[in-house]
Structure formats: C-alpha cells, structure tokens
Amino acid sequence: MKLFLVLAMLSTTAMAETFKLPAGITFRAKGVGYDCGEFFTDYRPAPKKYADQKITFLQLAADKDLNTFLVEGTFPGTDGGLCTFGLFLNRSRDTKSMEIDHTEVVSTGSVEACTETKNWIDYNMSSMKYYASKRGIRFIAFEVMNEENDVCPNNTVRAVFDRR
C-alpha cells in the first residue's frame, strides 16, 4: 500500500523517453546512482558487475495504476554504437518485487551489437525487490544485486531513482 502512495507522488518532470508503456506513462523518476540498501546516504559507484557492462540507468517510469514499470538506460554496443534499452517490468504485490516482462533495445549502430548485454540485463534484472523512501517519498530503489561485490559490504546494491 505504501508503494501506491509513493509512486502516486512521483514527479512528472519532463525527461526524454525512448520507449512507451502500453498503458501510458504517468510518473517518472531520474536515475541518480547506487546505494547499499539505505536511503539518504552517499551514492556509490556502480559495482564491477554493472560497471563492466557500462550500464547507465536514465529513468524509471510507471503507468497510472502503478502496475507496469519501465526502466530506461544505455550501454555501449560491441560495434561502438550506443544501445538504449527499455526494461519493461510488472509489479508483484505478493513478493514486493518487479518481474521482467520483456526488454527492448534500439541502437545508433547495429541492434545485433547490443544482444549480449541485453541478454545479461534480462538475466540479472529478471526479478528485483523494490523500495521507496519514507521521508519525503522522494526516492525509489531496485535491488540490482544481493551478493558479494566490490561496492557494498552488506552485499545489497540498489539502483536509485529520484522523483524530482
């Protein structure tokens, strides 16, 4: 229930969007970095697992009913082109997670040069827990890793999105 309130208050700040949700985009939040599972702390660099793929999260978008979500980001293709991905997610209220529906990719080069990293995203982001900040209802975070890593001593790494 809290997520409904949080996401209902997400800003509709104008951001560039490459992909569209079928039900329309009502809410947006800008990708701002990574944290170690706690809001209002300093942002961390991308963990090696994500840094190696050179993935940048640009924005999070949600439909009016807060059932479907879209994470947009970029990574370089193997041919030097810029690949822009749209990770389409469905919210599971039972597990408090986002479950992948599908991923779309466009490229300034060949789309085939994006395939390896797109498949990596599909595998590594197929199901992610979600969190919303309590104070000010400003941040939304997805747990992108919960394993030993080079950034967070507690193993939890989250991609954070800011509604402002």
Side-chain angles (χ1 to χ4, degrees):
M1 186 64 171
K2 288 181 185 179
L3 181 66
F4 280 9
L5 297 173
V6 169
L7 292 174
M9 298 174 81
L10 283 173
S11 170
T12 57
T13 304
M15 290 184 219
E17 59 188 44
T18 303
F19 303 98
K20 307 268 191 237
L21 287 168
I25 294 175
T26 303
F27 308 105
R28 291 178 183 80
K30 180 181 175 184
V32 293
Y34 297 89
D35 72 13
C36 293
E38 186 176 332
F39 289 115
F40 309 108
T41 59
D42 291 333
Y43 293 118
R44 303 291 183 105
K48 184 172 178 8
K49 186 173 180 177
Y50 281 79
D52 287 350
Q53 301 298 324
K54 296 181 175 60
I55 294 171
T56 301
F57 295 109
L58 301 176
Q59 76 171 349
L60 165 68
D63 69 342
K64 181 180 177 186
D65 296 325
L66 305 173
N67 291 322
T68 57
F69 293 77
L70 166 63
V71 174
E72 286 192 37
T74 62
F75 59 86
T78 57
D79 64 353
L82 181 66
C83 302
T84 302
F85 69 91
L87 178 64
F88 291 80
L89 303 161
N90 295 311
R91 186 171 66 139
S92 171
R93 290 173 178 85
D94 295 335
T95 62
K96 293 189 179 184
S97 65
M98 297 293 176
E99 306 296 331
I100 190 172
D101 182 79
H102 69 282
T103 305
E104 295 179 19
V105 176
V106 296
S107 178
T108 59
S110 166
V111 173
E112 289 78 26
C114 305
T115 303
E116 186 177 330
T117 302
K118 178 215 174 280
N119 291 339
W120 186 93
I121 289 169
D122 288 348
Y123 178 78
N124 285 280
M125 299 179 72
S126 63
S127 178
M128 301 176 291
K129 292 181 182 178
Y130 61 81
Y131 304 88
S133 64
K134 292 177 177 42
R135 187 172 27 146
I137 310 175
R138 178 174 164 185
F139 298 101
I140 304 296
F142 291 132
E143 188 174 290
V144 295
M145 281 182 73
N146 193 351
E147 60 190 49
E148 190 173 327
N149 63 78
D150 60 319
V151 176
C152 297
N154 64 354
N155 294 347
T156 300
V157 179
R158 304 184 311 178
V160 182
F161 299 86
D162 185 344
R163 69 175 179 88
R164 291 195 308 167

